[in-house]
Amino acid sequence: SEDVLSKDAGECAICLEELQQGDTIARLPCLCIYHKGQVFLTLHMQFWKASCIDEWFEVNRSCPEHPSD
């Protein structure tokens, strides 16, 4: 499910960036959280969107931290 993070929550296990208050996140059934809809700045000063968990699910169908679940 998609949610907004209410407080800082450490590091995203996919991109290794900090999960910060106000970030849009995806919460998996195992309760692990990852970035959803993050905005990044490119070298050409243009913005693009990426979702850590959506990109992960393109090649993996399980939680990065609980692959056997």
Side-chain angles (χ1 to χ4, degrees):
S1 73
E2 191 172 304
D3 202 358
V4 175
L5 199 56
S6 61
K7 62 180 181 176
D8 293 354
E11 185 178 81
C12 174
I14 298 172
C15 71
L16 307 180
E17 295 291 326
E18 293 298 312
L19 291 157
Q20 298 179 335
Q21 180 179 354
D23 284 353
T24 302
I25 58 163
R27 189 178 314 273
L28 302 185
C30 59
L31 301 182
C32 288
I33 57 174
Y34 304 98
H35 290 116
K36 176 101 175 154
Q38 285 295 98
V39 177
F40 297 93
L41 184 62
T42 68
L43 293 174
H44 302 290
M45 303 300 287
Q46 297 175 350
F47 291 96
W48 59 281
K49 284 191 171 186
S51 170
C52 296
I53 197 62
D54 290 337
E55 290 182 18
W56 176 267
F57 279 156
E58 286 180 16
V59 292
N60 300 284
R61 295 309 304 165
S62 60
C63 172
E65 297 177 83
H66 302 103
S68 61
D69 289 354

